[in-house]
Amino acid sequence: MMSLRFLAGATLMLSLMLPAAHAEQPSANTSHGFDRQQWNAPQKPFRIYGNTWYVGPYGLSSILLDTGQGLALFDGDLPESAPVIEANIRALGFRVRDIKWILNSHAHSDHAGGIAALQRDSGAQVLASAAGAREMALGGADRDDPQYGDLPDYPPVHHVRVLRDGEVVRLGGVAITTHYTPGHTQGSTSWTWTSCADGRCLRMAYADSLTAISASGFRFSDDPGRVAAFHRAIATVAALPCDILLTPHPDASDFWQKVARRKSDTDAAPLIDAGACRAYAANAGKKLDARLAQEHAGTGTK
Ligand SMILES: [Zn+2]
């Protein structure tokens, strides 16, 4: 009896200690610094600008576009984000079954993990780059991914419509342009469209992650073609039509700081920065250069 009670106590202590130990080492399980609970924290959905809405949890963007003839959704976030995103869409008065398209930034579990469920629940068509479609069908287990072996798998996504680089797709009154921006993953894609409110139209950019991170042992510099493509992707993002920059990780573009400065729900001013894509790309370029220098110097990479 005593030993059982002791065991129960020890188990309780262990379970109390584990989350704290995890919190001290946020990057222990992957090079992404995966903290899925924090990423999936609830967030009230809201209008970003015009027909563009934020419907993701707090730490991962999911962007809804109301085209007037159906909805387009950018990213499904983590597998456990799908019900959060669906509840947010309903809370805004939209219907999940009106999602016609689901578009993906890149095929990692924190942006594509919820797509299979969202596809099933909505009947939407999923759209991605050629490499992105291949990666999503593998559920993120792509050997060509710099972070291969380091990231969680997720429910694979099938029946993906492949879009070419530069391809423009139209739904309702909205034209969405596909920009291949490989580097973070081979299938990384950025998307642009225009949203209008009160007669003022702004250029919206959903620019993909440009971080040169990897599983240990991987070297970007082993493949000059990959490095050249990464540099081109950074230049592509720098040149995107971009009044409002959105990123798959909101904090990568200081999104919440900008939102906090809004004076009302329709105040767009703090979100507008025509130099934001250039600055985002410049920062990525510096980090890529630092990473390559590190690889050439033969010092440890992560
Ligand atoms: Zn990623």
Side-chain angles (χ1 to χ4, degrees), residues 14-241:
L14 204 73
S15 66
L16 285 172
M17 283 164 65
L18 277 174
H22 173 76
E24 281 162 21
Q25 292 177 302
S27 61
N29 41 1
T30 78
S31 47
H32 250 90
F34 231 82
D35 190 342
R36 31 199 328 155
Q37 269 187 0
Q38 198 183 328
W39 282 356
N40 208 42
Q43 169 61 47
K44 197 165 174 260
F46 61 96
R47 189 194 297 271
I48 297 172
Y49 187 74
N51 57 0
T52 301
W53 302 79
Y54 189 93
V55 294
Y58 179 77
L60 295 168
S61 294
S62 180
I63 308 294
L64 188 74
L65 196 44
D66 176 14
T67 73
Q69 283 177 41
L71 306 170
L73 182 72
F74 296 90
D75 282 347
D77 304 340
L78 293 161
E80 61 266 38
S81 305
V84 177
I85 292 168
E86 290 184 9
N88 281 349
I89 289 171
R90 284 192 294 267
L92 292 172
F94 295 116
R95 294 183 303 195
V96 170
R97 68 171 182 271
D98 288 337
I99 306 172
K100 300 291 180 225
W101 288 347
I102 300 170
L103 306 99
N104 180 232
S105 57
H106 69 271
H108 281 158
S109 63
D110 45 342
H111 312 291
I115 288 182
L118 288 158
Q119 180 189 39
R120 181 197 63 214
D121 295 350
S122 64
Q125 185 173 50
V126 179
L127 293 78
S129 66
R134 183 179 56 76
E135 291 158 354
M136 274 198 278
L138 294 168
D142 172 28
R143 289 181 179 276
D144 210 19
D145 189 319
Q147 295 182 70
Y148 177 72
D150 228 4
L151 291 172
D153 297 344
Y154 58 87
V157 184
H158 301 290
H159 312 293
V160 177
R161 176 179 164 193
V162 171
L163 300 180
R164 295 182 310 276
D165 187 21
E167 187 166 350
V168 179
V169 288
R170 293 170 202 280
L171 187 62
V174 180
I176 300 170
T177 304
T178 314
H179 307 267
Y180 280 23
T181 48
H184 181 75
T185 65
Q186 297 290 66
S188 279
T189 308
S190 301
W191 306 94
T192 55
W193 65 96
T194 300
S195 285
C196 306
D198 302 323
R200 185 184 188 194
C201 294
L202 295 175
R203 301 168 301 167
M204 313 292 289
Y206 189 48
D208 195 18
S209 302
L210 293 172
T211 44
I213 51 177
S214 75
S216 61
F218 179 92
R219 289 163 51 90
F220 286 89
S221 48
D222 284 347
D223 183 350
R226 184 191 290 263
V227 172
F230 208 151
H231 282 302
R232 281 197 303 274
I234 289 170
T236 297
V237 169
L240 288 178

